[in-house]
Amino acid sequence: MANEKVSNRNFIILLAFLVGIVGGLMASVLKRLTHFIAATIQDDIDWKVKYSVYLIFPLIGILLSVFLFGNF
């Protein structure tokens, strides 16, 4: 019983299930983080700083994308 192997088909199904669960959890975390950042920017920051943050955040995202995925 201990030497039984999982077939390739069952292994793929198990991996697909795990990837789906982890992907769903990460999507939920990303959504909550995005809403938290948006609420913080809209409520707790002075209007002069708010507009500069609205400019800086997209630039940070673009630069991160270029550096992380520029080789692909």
Side-chain angles (χ1 to χ4, degrees):
M1 185 101 173
N3 288 336
E4 290 183 28
K5 294 184 179 181
V6 177
S7 68
N8 285 340
R9 183 173 188 265
N10 287 341
F11 182 69
I12 296 296
I13 290 172
L14 179 65
L15 281 180
F17 178 76
L18 290 175
V19 167
I21 294 294
V22 171
L25 289 173
M26 290 299 109
S28 179
V29 167
L30 181 62
K31 178 182 173 185
R32 289 181 183 267
L33 181 64
T34 303
H35 284 287
F36 172 74
I37 291 172
T40 302
I41 289 173
Q42 292 174 359
D43 296 337
D44 298 337
I45 296 180
D46 185 41
W47 69 272
K48 291 179 183 178
V49 177
K50 184 187 304 187
Y51 290 117
S52 62
V53 169
Y54 279 136
L55 177 67
I56 292 170
F57 271 9
L59 292 175
I60 292 171
I62 291 169
L63 289 174
L64 281 173
S65 297
V66 166
F67 288 130
L68 291 176
F69 303 111
N71 296 331
F72 295 110

